[in-house]
Amino acid sequence: MDTRSDSDWHKRYARMMLASDVVILVWVFLTAHIAWAVSLGPVDPTQESPYDWGPILASVVLVGVWLIALAMAGTRDPIVLGAGPDEYKRILVASVMWFAVVAFAGFMTKSQVPRSYVLVAVAFGVLLLVLNRWAWRQWLVMRRQRGEMSSRTLIVGTERAVERIINVVGTTSHFGYKLVGVCVPAASQPRTVLGLPVLGDLDQVVAVVDKNQVDAVLVGSTDATHSDMVQQLGWDLEPFDVEIIVAPSLANIAGPRVHVRPVAGLPLLHVEAPSYRGTARWVKGIFDRAGSLALILVGSPIFLVTALAIKLTSRGPVFFRQERVGLDGHNFGMIKFRSMVVDAEERLADLQADSGNEVMFKMRDDPRVTKIGKLIRRTSIDELPQLFNVLKGDMSLVGPRPPLVSEVSGYANVARRRLLVRPGITGLWQVSGRSNLDWEETVRLDLYYVENWSLVGDLVILWRTLRAVVSSEGAY
């Protein structure tokens, strides 16, 4: 049953994480003691043993200091739980804090702490703490997908601002926002907004919060929800212990590019320029070529088996080359394993006419696909030859979807910004739904990637791609 008392879920969750952190750190320091003992070799009565009371008591203190550092770094703060990299970053910050304290204490007391002990504790500890939080996160995401352990959230703002928030927050249950309704200005009150009921106007937010047992109020940044209104709302909601979240009107800009700088009480948002030029492109190029070469070497047996299967089961070449548009609008030949009949291109016009979609054509049961083609498409093996495009420099491992020449001719100015970076074998468009996405959502995701590229983001997308390929979701 959804009640506001259930908003204490994060306290119970934090206690469970604390218990697991304690178990992990105790295990880590036991392992460090064993490594210390092994490094000493035969027991020397003149040397201090790792199993003496002194070192054991010191380890107990070090476990306590590490737990304090984890708490001070906010690693169990509800705002970082369930999604995003901040939870892992805070674990690293806490571990650096702990190491600095240990190093300083050792210097001041002139204590000789064995290097094997410290190295095992730091490396093993950070690794297990991160893996522990990742495991807890998977469990939390599964619970949130069932509607549990989430904040009952009311969205406040104009109808347009509310729609923008619903389109983003409403599709990401793992962030823990369970949308219960909206409040919009009285002058434009429909019954629902994108399926969510309108529970009142902007003057009735407090009453709506109390009646519907709301845990969080998400305010869209518009003229109707000015700073004075948000400030007054915060005062009015103080007795209800409700979180207030403001969604700034900065569409498709990632958090790391936004920095808040208060000036005389006025919070100014500084937005960094996109990072698809200069050094960033050079670093990405090295990463792409090294990664593609490694994947080609590892996947060579798959290449061979797939080529034989295509050649033995259907007439035509093993590879299919198609003209695509790449960086800065330059055309290149994208290579794939052939998954269709030889005359597939000639039959395309008739199928497009029947589907009514000539911008980004995809058909779930395409009659041109061969039997082997269905298998390699479902497993994304047909995309593997694109690694040679990456090695050549025409494509990236991660990037926007490589468009056809005919698609680019119909692009609006906004969509053309996808061509500012090299297209990718995978990207946000693939891990967010692949062929199940409509054209507008594909463009939005590609533009978000172009504007907010980072190497860490590429690694995350590659990991999510592996999961998407295993599940075969949206692949046809």
Side-chain angles (χ1 to χ4, degrees), residues 284-293 295-296 332 335 383-398 422-426:
K284 184 174 174 64
I286 294 177
F287 172 74
D288 285 334
R289 284 177 169 82
S292 61
L293 181 60
L295 290 172
I296 288 171
F332 70 97
I335 311 169
E383 310 282 353
L384 288 181
Q386 292 170 36
L387 291 170
F388 292 102
N389 287 118
V390 177
L391 197 60
K392 184 181 175 184
D394 293 328
M395 295 180 65
S396 293
L397 291 176
V398 182
R422 289 184 177 87
I425 297 177
T426 185

Side-chain angles (χ1 to χ4, degrees), residues 18-74:
L18 174 59
S20 63
D21 287 344
V22 171
V23 171
I24 283 174
L25 291 181
V26 169
W27 185 15
V28 164
F29 280 94
L30 284 175
T31 304
H33 274 265
I34 294 172
W36 181 8
V38 170
S39 67
L40 289 176
V43 177
D44 185 349
T46 63
Q47 286 185 327
E48 186 178 42
S49 170
Y51 306 115
D52 290 342
W53 281 109
I56 291 175
L57 180 61
S59 290
V60 172
V61 173
L62 291 176
V63 168
V65 172
W66 206 332
L67 290 171
I68 292 172
L70 289 170
M72 291 177 62

Side-chain angles (χ1 to χ4, degrees), residues 98-404:
W98 175 84
F99 183 78
V101 169
V102 171
F104 180 75
F107 173 76
M108 295 299 294
T109 61
K110 297 183 179 179
S111 300
Q112 296 296 324
V113 182
R115 293 178 182 177
S116 60
Y117 178 85
V118 175
L119 289 176
V120 169
V122 172
F124 200 38
V126 171
L127 175 63
L128 288 184
L129 285 172
V130 170
L131 289 177
N132 175 54
R133 295 306 177 86
W134 178 83
W136 275 114
R137 177 174 291 194
Q138 306 314 304
W139 180 80
L140 178 61
V141 168
M142 287 190 294
R143 297 291 295 271
R144 284 177 167 176
Q145 288 173 344
R146 298 201 298 261
E148 304 170 12
M149 304 187 82
S150 299
S151 300
R152 290 173 56 83
T153 304
L154 175 72
I155 304 179
V156 176
T158 62
E159 187 175 347
R160 184 175 180 181
V162 165
E163 287 178 349
R164 179 172 61 88
I165 294 172
I166 294 173
N167 283 328
V168 177
V169 178
T171 59
T172 51
S173 60
H174 56 281
F175 279 94
Y177 299 117
K178 186 176 182 180
L179 306 183
V180 297
V182 304
C183 285
V184 296
S188 61
Q189 273 207 9
R191 285 190 170 185
T192 62
V193 177
L194 296 182
L196 284 179
V198 175
L199 303 177
D201 59 33
L202 300 186
D203 295 325
Q204 299 172 317
V205 174
V206 177
V208 170
V209 166
D210 188 32
K211 181 180 179 181
N212 293 274
Q213 300 172 329
V214 170
D215 301 314
V217 175
L218 208 169
V219 183
S221 181
T222 64
D223 291 339
T225 53
H226 49 80
S227 58
D228 291 341
M229 179 266 190
V230 175
Q231 184 180 49
Q232 183 63 49
L233 186 62
W235 294 338
D236 294 340
L237 292 176
E238 277 185 8
F240 299 97
D241 190 25
V242 172
E243 183 182 13
I244 297 180
I245 309 162
V246 177
S249 55
L250 295 174
N252 295 323
I253 298 178
R257 288 181 55 204
V258 180
H259 303 277
V260 180
R261 182 186 180 190
V263 177
L266 178 66
L268 301 180
L269 296 181
H270 291 247
V271 181
E272 294 181 356
S275 58
Y276 47 75
R277 298 291 185 188
T279 305
R281 178 178 287 185
W282 179 73
V283 171
K284 184 174 174 64
I286 294 177
F287 172 74
D288 285 334
R289 284 177 169 82
S292 61
L293 181 60
L295 290 172
I296 288 171
L297 295 175
V298 171
S300 55
I302 300 176
F303 277 81
L304 179 60
V305 171
T306 305
L308 287 173
I310 294 172
K311 196 65 179 176
L312 295 174
T313 57
S314 62
R315 182 177 58 87
V318 170
F319 297 104
F320 172 71
R321 187 178 182 277
Q322 190 175 47
E323 199 76 6
R324 297 284 180 127
V325 182
L327 178 65
D328 296 330
H330 297 300
N331 295 358
F332 70 97
M334 190 182 76
I335 311 169
K336 299 177 71 173
F337 279 122
R338 183 175 58 82
S339 60
M340 292 185 174
V341 294
V342 179
D343 62 341
E345 291 293 295
E346 288 74 16
R347 296 165 60 180
L348 176 61
D350 293 337
L351 293 173
Q352 282 181 326
D354 292 339
S355 70
N357 183 1
E358 298 184 5
V359 178
M360 192 177 68
F361 177 75
K362 276 282 188 177
M363 178 176 286
R364 185 173 295 275
D365 296 311
D366 196 324
R368 301 172 299 163
V369 179
T370 63
K371 290 182 179 180
I372 290 296
K374 290 180 180 179
L375 174 62
I376 63 175
R377 280 183 165 217
R378 189 166 61 248
T379 56
S380 296
I381 291 176
D382 65 320
E383 310 282 353
L384 288 181
Q386 292 170 36
L387 291 170
F388 292 102
N389 287 118
V390 177
L391 197 60
K392 184 181 175 184
D394 293 328
M395 295 180 65
S396 293
L397 291 176
V398 182
R401 191 185 69 86
L404 295 165

